[in-house]
Amino acid sequence: SVSSEKGLFYCFGCHAHGDVFNFVMLREGLDFRSAAQRLAPLAGVELEPESPQALERREQRAALIRVNMQALAFFRNALWEPAGTACRMYLRERGITRGQAKRFELGFGGSAGALLRELTQRDLAPELVARAGLCTEDGQRSLFDERLIFPIYDDLGQLVGFSGRRLGDTGRGPKYINTRESLLFSKRRV
């Protein structure tokens, strides 16, 4: 539903709502600045140039999102490989179908070290992977090894992190673990 008088929209299906900026951000997966740049010419508005600090922050966020997208691709593929058998069995026991797992982009953290090896092979610097919050403080181990993976998106549809559930009732570490706090991921906000 669109109210041109109020300048607002509301989706009864997913409950998304907001102004024209929110609409463009959600529809096209853009940040606020990019949505404003897209809309400014349509409204006859000239935007001020972005500050160097804002540009740097936006570029850092984009780099971390790229790391997350590479990690998500790894996790999704790992679920359907032989190493993901126990994870698939766990999903089946919980009544999660293959279609549901794919729809919700569930994944498997892979065997110890597999994620970090994959990201290194894709020329992603270990420091960048650490800044994305995907590994231990020393950068030696992925947080998500041998876990069922759930991607976490923000309200703009950007992949900001992951949550991993330990398989089985016994094992090392906490039952659930999230991406470490980062420029993208704040557990309190997301």
Side-chain angles (χ1 to χ4, degrees):
S1 172
V2 175
S3 171
S4 55
E5 300 87 38
K6 295 179 183 178
L8 300 173
F9 79 95
Y10 180 78
C11 176
F12 292 98
C14 70
H15 307 290
H17 62 281
D19 59 16
V20 67
F21 296 102
N22 294 99
F23 182 81
V24 171
M25 288 167 28
L26 290 169
R27 174 100 168 118
E28 299 185 25
L30 301 174
D31 60 17
F32 180 80
R33 177 76 183 177
S34 299
Q37 288 173 329
R38 171 98 22 110
L39 294 168
L42 299 173
V45 174
E46 191 171 320
L47 297 178
E48 291 184 25
E50 192 170 18
S51 73
Q53 296 85 358
L55 177 62
E56 173 69 19
R57 183 174 169 85
R58 190 162 52 87
E59 288 173 350
Q60 287 177 5
R61 284 183 59 85
L64 296 179
I65 289 170
R66 282 192 299 276
V67 170
N68 283 345
M69 294 301 292
Q70 292 294 325
L72 179 60
F74 169 82
F75 294 144
R76 287 188 332 214
N77 289 335
L79 180 60
W80 307 108
E81 292 178 354
T85 300
C87 192
R88 290 192 307 276
M89 287 176 54
Y90 174 80
L91 290 173
R92 196 172 308 121
E93 289 168 7
R94 300 297 299 258
I96 306 297
T97 67
R98 182 181 185 104
Q100 291 168 325
K102 288 186 177 212
R103 177 176 172 217
F104 291 106
E105 300 182 290
L106 303 182
F108 174 61
S111 60
L115 173 65
L116 296 181
R117 281 192 303 275
E118 174 74 17
L119 296 178
T120 301
Q121 289 173 355
R122 293 186 178 274
D123 293 326
L124 294 172
E127 302 80 38
L128 188 60
V129 174
R131 282 201 326 258
L134 301 179
C135 58
T136 56
E137 284 83 9
D138 62 8
Q140 299 299 306
R141 188 178 61 79
S142 165
L143 298 175
F144 303 107
D145 291 345
E146 302 289 338
R147 289 177 178 269
L148 169 62
I149 306 299
F150 304 88
I152 301 172
Y153 291 90
D154 67 10
D155 55 351
L156 300 177
Q158 295 178 322
L159 180 60
V160 296
F162 301 93
S163 184
R165 189 204 191 280
R166 186 181 68 223
L167 296 174
D169 292 329
T170 60
R172 292 187 355 215
K175 189 173 192 175
Y176 287 95
I177 194 163
N178 295 317
T179 296
R180 300 228 187 266
E181 296 282 318
S182 71
L183 182 61
L184 290 179
F185 183 78
S186 168
K187 187 174 179 181
R188 187 179 331 162
R189 281 185 297 120
V190 181

